[in-house]
Amino acid sequence: MNNETVKSQGDVGKVQIISVKEKPEYKKQAITYIQSKWATEQSLKVYEDCIEHCITSQNPLPQWYLLIIEERIVGCAGLITNDFISRMDLYPWVCAVYVEDERRGNKYGAALIERAKQDAKSGGFSNVYLCTDHVGLYEKYGFTHIGTGYHPWGESSRIYEVSV
């Protein structure tokens, strides 16, 4: 799939969702940005290694996305095989969905999720999953709560599913 241009009433200028797999020249920017939003000191290398290897993988997963407005990264998301959760029978997982505070309310999160859903469908999948504690947010995007999963660090999260 080509880069998408997202239309929003709240922003003027070019809005794009970039796939790092399709545009590897964004690799370093993606690693830095996604690490800054999601990584702990212990997980920095996990994100770096996963993003680097998505570029050369012949598999449809993983995928990493950047939301860019007027040449500035303002959001991200991923589509991966497992989001540090016990339900390894379910995949792919939408992960690391983030939109900068000042850009929220413009449906950019929905656009990132939609891009991940499209790529999942192209990869032969019929559903995507998401784990979160944000009750009520992802239901707005069509996700349904299907259970609870457990993380290696001892916490649990709600698991959601949506058809692609």
Side-chain angles (χ1 to χ4, degrees), residues 51-160:
I51 294 166
E52 283 181 353
H53 287 93
C54 84
I55 295 165
T56 57
S57 174
Q58 298 304 307
N59 296 316
L61 302 174
Q63 287 272 358
W64 292 94
Y65 309 102
L66 295 175
L67 172 65
I68 299 176
I69 300 176
E70 297 176 348
E71 300 182 29
R72 182 173 165 250
I73 299 171
V74 297
C76 60
L79 183 66
I80 59 176
T81 57
N82 188 274
D83 198 9
F84 307 110
I85 193 94
S86 59
R87 291 297 305 273
M88 295 184 191
D89 57 313
L90 305 174
Y91 59 92
W93 294 81
V94 174
C95 72
V97 178
Y98 183 82
V99 176
E100 297 288 342
D101 289 343
E102 71 274 8
R103 300 296 184 166
R104 293 181 184 171
N106 292 297
K107 300 185 180 180
Y108 295 137
L112 285 161
I113 291 167
E114 190 57 36
R115 174 63 193 265
K117 287 171 56 179
Q118 290 172 7
D119 285 346
K121 187 174 186 174
S122 294
F125 300 100
S126 56
N127 298 304
V128 295
Y129 301 89
L130 183 135
C131 60
T132 185
D133 294 325
H134 292 289
V135 177
L137 175 61
Y138 292 98
E139 291 88 340
K140 294 176 185 178
Y141 305 128
F143 282 86
T144 302
H145 176 247
I146 62 166
T148 301
Y150 303 92
H151 300 288
W153 51 88
E155 295 177 8
S156 64
S157 289
R158 295 169 61 90
I159 296 175
Y160 290 84

Side-chain angles (χ1 to χ4, degrees), residues 34-45 47:
I34 294 167
Q35 284 177 330
S36 76
K37 302 305 176 193
W38 292 104
T40 64
E41 187 176 327
Q42 293 79 19
S43 67
L44 286 168
K45 279 293 198 185
Y47 288 96

